[in-house]
Amino acid sequence: MAGPSGTAQWASESLALGKLRVYRAYARRWVFLLVVSLLSCSNAMLWLSFAPVADTIAQFFSLSTNQVNWLSLVYFVVSIPSGLVAIWVLDSVGLRWATILCASLNFVGSVLRAMPCMPATVPSPFAFLMCGQSLCALAQTLVVFSPAKLAALWFPEHQRATANMIGTMANPLGALVANVLSPALVKKEGDVPLMLLRNKAYVVLAVCFGGGIGIFSSFSVLLQQVLCVEGYSNEFAGLCGALFIVSGILGALGLGLYVDRTRHFTEAVKVGFCLTSLVCVAFAVVSQLRGQAIALAIICALLGLFGFSVAPVATELAVECSFPVGEGAAAGLVFVLGQVEGVLVMLLLTALTVRRSKPGFSTCRGDQDSLDWEVPMLLMAGLCTLFSCCLVLFFHTPYRRLQAEASTGPCDKDHAAPWQTLPEAPSGHPEGPGSSEAAGSPVAAHS
């Protein structure tokens, strides 16, 4: 048996070991939790997206009710063997690779689900739908088991229950969204492709415009924190925020009147995005300089003028390219995606702030005075430029609602509305009423 001296030595070594095993909690743990939560939410949406509109799905794909039920039931069947594999992956391979594998399965499964709605003829729609659902079902066990592992590895003991709760409750939240969103999007058989997001133009617009909403939301929230580091007062930051909003309202009013007369929705949005990107780059540079109050005020006003003004036009464009889907669903889905992207952008920007290595002239209070916002602001400008380039290069659509209204409107020229003479599709992409995309759309079919 060990004597008193041995016991004392063991106690001192245990105390020293305990001091060495002090873990550091990183701010990016919340970003990782958000990623896992979004994966869980999207996976649950994929699970129940068919069930609330089972009758319409059966008619559109010529399936029986039992086949549609199996698209949801496959989740339960696959989870039995895959659950054991998921346990081994999480404990042996690690949480990072489990999350990457889950995201990959979700993505590939979603693509397979959308294949039966592609223009090319698919011989067996049920096979593609079932394969896609099966891959998403494999991803389910990985993401459902992850919150507890994530909480244990990344969060301190006083936050583990909260982190586990957020990650776990994201799954029923996805089921809730599917139950609400699927009936809202699918009113008849022709709306099924939109639920599977076959509409390329709408997806591009939703991602790019949603990203713009996220950037502008982050800009509004972080404006004071960015400016006070360089010595600008809170009153000046408030003035810049006011100029940002007021100029945006005036710009939206003028641009709304313009597109009502010309119907140049696409051109207005693309030009507005490009000008916004230029001004955003200017803000990223000038906001890191002292004594540039006038320039910053002008830049904030221009940012609102070019950025805010395209918001109502982009919403109208979302309705045009997704017609005959309801206006509320078309515009609401873009807004919801914008809020999600806003959370991601703001978490990313705040996570990239570092402590300043040189003395500054900060007017911030608390612990904000030593933060360096140069890299986050450059990233914000880069994201804005990326979304603008994607919109300009990949977004092309006919104005489907206007075409439908024109085809059913009065034929008397004396009483015809100005919008019945529709503008041509943007040059280089002649997606007019006679194009293949329009011919395959519900609008063309009804016309």
Side-chain angles (χ1 to χ4, degrees), residues 266-285:
T266 303
E267 294 83 353
V269 171
K270 289 184 176 182
V271 172
F273 262 71
C274 292
L275 294 176
T276 302
S277 299
L278 294 176
V279 180
C280 196
V281 172
F283 177 82
V285 175

mmCIF file of all heavy atoms in Angstrom, residues 266-285:
data_model
loop_
_atom_site.group_PDB
_atom_site.id
_atom_site.type_symbol
_atom_site.label_atom_id
_atom_site.label_comp_id
_atom_site.label_asym_id
_atom_site.label_seq_id
_atom_site.Cartn_x
_atom_site.Cartn_y
_atom_site.Cartn_z
ATOM 1 N N THR A 266 -35.337 42.177 -65.276
ATOM 2 C CA THR A 266 -34.042 41.514 -65.231
ATOM 3 C C THR A 266 -32.899 42.509 -65.339
ATOM 4 O O THR A 266 -31.926 42.454 -64.572
ATOM 5 C CB THR A 266 -33.935 40.469 -66.357
ATOM 6 O OG1 THR A 266 -35.009 39.528 -66.233
ATOM 7 C CG2 THR A 266 -32.610 39.734 -66.299
ATOM 8 N N GLU A 267 -33.000 43.434 -66.292
ATOM 9 C CA GLU A 267 -31.934 44.408 -66.471
ATOM 10 C C GLU A 267 -31.759 45.288 -65.242
ATOM 11 O O GLU A 267 -30.626 45.587 -64.825
ATOM 12 C CB GLU A 267 -32.224 45.282 -67.692
ATOM 13 C CG GLU A 267 -32.197 44.529 -69.010
ATOM 14 C CD GLU A 267 -33.497 43.816 -69.308
ATOM 15 O OE1 GLU A 267 -34.383 43.799 -68.425
ATOM 16 O OE2 GLU A 267 -33.635 43.261 -70.418
ATOM 17 N N ALA A 268 -32.870 45.715 -64.639
ATOM 18 C CA ALA A 268 -32.793 46.578 -63.457
ATOM 19 C C ALA A 268 -32.119 45.867 -62.295
ATOM 20 O O ALA A 268 -31.282 46.448 -61.590
ATOM 21 C CB ALA A 268 -34.198 47.035 -63.062
ATOM 22 N N VAL A 269 -32.478 44.598 -62.073
ATOM 23 C CA VAL A 269 -31.884 43.857 -60.957
ATOM 24 C C VAL A 269 -30.405 43.610 -61.186
ATOM 25 O O VAL A 269 -29.579 43.768 -60.272
ATOM 26 C CB VAL A 269 -32.647 42.525 -60.751
ATOM 27 C CG1 VAL A 269 -31.914 41.645 -59.747
ATOM 28 C CG2 VAL A 269 -34.065 42.798 -60.265
ATOM 29 N N LYS A 270 -30.025 43.244 -62.390
ATOM 30 C CA LYS A 270 -28.610 42.960 -62.670
ATOM 31 C C LYS A 270 -27.756 44.213 -62.542
ATOM 32 O O LYS A 270 -26.666 44.182 -61.939
ATOM 33 C CB LYS A 270 -28.463 42.349 -64.055
ATOM 34 C CG LYS A 270 -28.985 40.923 -64.160
ATOM 35 C CD LYS A 270 -28.718 40.319 -65.532
ATOM 36 C CE LYS A 270 -29.162 38.860 -65.574
ATOM 37 N NZ LYS A 270 -28.890 38.219 -66.875
ATOM 38 N N VAL A 271 -28.218 45.321 -63.088
ATOM 39 C CA VAL A 271 -27.459 46.568 -62.967
ATOM 40 C C VAL A 271 -27.374 47.007 -61.514
ATOM 41 O O VAL A 271 -26.319 47.441 -61.031
ATOM 42 C CB VAL A 271 -28.101 47.670 -63.847
ATOM 43 C CG1 VAL A 271 -27.446 49.014 -63.570
ATOM 44 C CG2 VAL A 271 -27.974 47.315 -65.321
ATOM 45 N N GLY A 272 -28.483 46.882 -60.791
ATOM 46 C CA GLY A 272 -28.473 47.247 -59.376
ATOM 47 C C GLY A 272 -27.503 46.411 -58.569
ATOM 48 O O GLY A 272 -26.775 46.933 -57.709
ATOM 49 N N PHE A 273 -27.445 45.109 -58.830
ATOM 50 C CA PHE A 273 -26.503 44.245 -58.119
ATOM 51 C C PHE A 273 -25.064 44.626 -58.416
ATOM 52 O O PHE A 273 -24.205 44.638 -57.526
ATOM 53 C CB PHE A 273 -26.762 42.783 -58.490
ATOM 54 C CG PHE A 273 -27.597 42.037 -57.499
ATOM 55 C CD1 PHE A 273 -28.958 42.306 -57.362
ATOM 56 C CD2 PHE A 273 -27.045 41.074 -56.686
ATOM 57 C CE1 PHE A 273 -29.732 41.631 -56.449
ATOM 58 C CE2 PHE A 273 -27.807 40.389 -55.768
ATOM 59 C CZ PHE A 273 -29.164 40.668 -55.640
ATOM 60 N N CYS A 274 -24.752 44.913 -59.681
ATOM 61 C CA CYS A 274 -23.380 45.267 -60.047
ATOM 62 C C CYS A 274 -22.946 46.577 -59.387
ATOM 63 O O CYS A 274 -21.824 46.679 -58.860
ATOM 64 C CB CYS A 274 -23.266 45.378 -61.573
ATOM 65 S SG CYS A 274 -23.456 43.804 -62.446
ATOM 66 N N LEU A 275 -23.811 47.582 -59.412
ATOM 67 C CA LEU A 275 -23.476 48.849 -58.762
ATOM 68 C C LEU A 275 -23.338 48.670 -57.254
ATOM 69 O O LEU A 275 -22.468 49.284 -56.615
ATOM 70 C CB LEU A 275 -24.557 49.886 -59.076
ATOM 71 C CG LEU A 275 -24.655 50.321 -60.551
ATOM 72 C CD1 LEU A 275 -25.834 51.268 -60.747
ATOM 73 C CD2 LEU A 275 -23.353 50.987 -60.994
ATOM 74 N N THR A 276 -24.178 47.829 -56.680
ATOM 75 C CA THR A 276 -24.068 47.558 -55.241
ATOM 76 C C THR A 276 -22.726 46.930 -54.901
ATOM 77 O O THR A 276 -22.110 47.259 -53.877
ATOM 78 C CB THR A 276 -25.212 46.630 -54.794
ATOM 79 O OG1 THR A 276 -26.470 47.239 -55.095
ATOM 80 C CG2 THR A 276 -25.130 46.357 -53.296
ATOM 81 N N SER A 277 -22.249 46.029 -55.747
ATOM 82 C CA SER A 277 -20.960 45.383 -55.497
ATOM 83 C C SER A 277 -19.831 46.405 -55.505
ATOM 84 O O SER A 277 -18.928 46.359 -54.651
ATOM 85 C CB SER A 277 -20.695 44.306 -56.549
ATOM 86 O OG SER A 277 -21.684 43.309 -56.503
ATOM 87 N N LEU A 278 -19.866 47.337 -56.467
ATOM 88 C CA LEU A 278 -18.827 48.364 -56.523
ATOM 89 C C LEU A 278 -18.825 49.225 -55.267
ATOM 90 O O LEU A 278 -17.771 49.522 -54.694
ATOM 91 C CB LEU A 278 -19.026 49.230 -57.768
ATOM 92 C CG LEU A 278 -18.836 48.531 -59.120
ATOM 93 C CD1 LEU A 278 -19.162 49.497 -60.263
ATOM 94 C CD2 LEU A 278 -17.411 48.021 -59.257
ATOM 95 N N VAL A 279 -20.000 49.624 -54.829
ATOM 96 C CA VAL A 279 -20.091 50.456 -53.628
ATOM 97 C C VAL A 279 -19.688 49.670 -52.393
ATOM 98 O O VAL A 279 -19.070 50.207 -51.469
ATOM 99 C CB VAL A 279 -21.518 51.023 -53.486
ATOM 100 C CG1 VAL A 279 -21.630 51.885 -52.234
ATOM 101 C CG2 VAL A 279 -21.900 51.841 -54.713
ATOM 102 N N CYS A 280 -20.017 48.387 -52.359
ATOM 103 C CA CYS A 280 -19.646 47.550 -51.217
ATOM 104 C C CYS A 280 -18.127 47.423 -51.111
ATOM 105 O O CYS A 280 -17.563 47.433 -50.005
ATOM 106 C CB CYS A 280 -20.288 46.176 -51.359
ATOM 107 S SG CYS A 280 -20.299 45.194 -49.845
ATOM 108 N N VAL A 281 -17.452 47.305 -52.245
ATOM 109 C CA VAL A 281 -15.988 47.284 -52.235
ATOM 110 C C VAL A 281 -15.442 48.608 -51.713
ATOM 111 O O VAL A 281 -14.481 48.634 -50.925
ATOM 112 C CB VAL A 281 -15.450 46.982 -53.650
ATOM 113 C CG1 VAL A 281 -13.940 47.156 -53.705
ATOM 114 C CG2 VAL A 281 -15.835 45.571 -54.078
ATOM 115 N N ALA A 282 -16.047 49.703 -52.154
ATOM 116 C CA ALA A 282 -15.607 51.016 -51.663
ATOM 117 C C ALA A 282 -15.787 51.141 -50.157
ATOM 118 O O ALA A 282 -14.915 51.674 -49.451
ATOM 119 C CB ALA A 282 -16.383 52.116 -52.387
ATOM 120 N N PHE A 283 -16.892 50.636 -49.628
ATOM 121 C CA PHE A 283 -17.102 50.694 -48.173
ATOM 122 C C PHE A 283 -16.077 49.845 -47.432
ATOM 123 O O PHE A 283 -15.578 50.254 -46.376
ATOM 124 C CB PHE A 283 -18.509 50.213 -47.827
ATOM 125 C CG PHE A 283 -18.781 50.181 -46.350
ATOM 126 C CD1 PHE A 283 -19.145 51.333 -45.671
ATOM 127 C CD2 PHE A 283 -18.654 49.006 -45.617
ATOM 128 C CE1 PHE A 283 -19.382 51.322 -44.307
ATOM 129 C CE2 PHE A 283 -18.889 48.976 -44.260
ATOM 130 C CZ PHE A 283 -19.251 50.142 -43.599
ATOM 131 N N ALA A 284 -15.752 48.680 -47.968
ATOM 132 C CA ALA A 284 -14.778 47.806 -47.312
ATOM 133 C C ALA A 284 -13.428 48.489 -47.180
ATOM 134 O O ALA A 284 -12.703 48.282 -46.194
ATOM 135 C CB ALA A 284 -14.638 46.504 -48.087
ATOM 136 N N VAL A 285 -13.074 49.342 -48.155
ATOM 137 C CA VAL A 285 -11.783 50.029 -48.109
ATOM 138 C C VAL A 285 -11.853 51.289 -47.253
ATOM 139 O O VAL A 285 -11.027 51.499 -46.353
ATOM 140 C CB VAL A 285 -11.327 50.377 -49.548
ATOM 141 C CG1 VAL A 285 -10.037 51.196 -49.513
ATOM 142 C CG2 VAL A 285 -11.129 49.101 -50.359
#
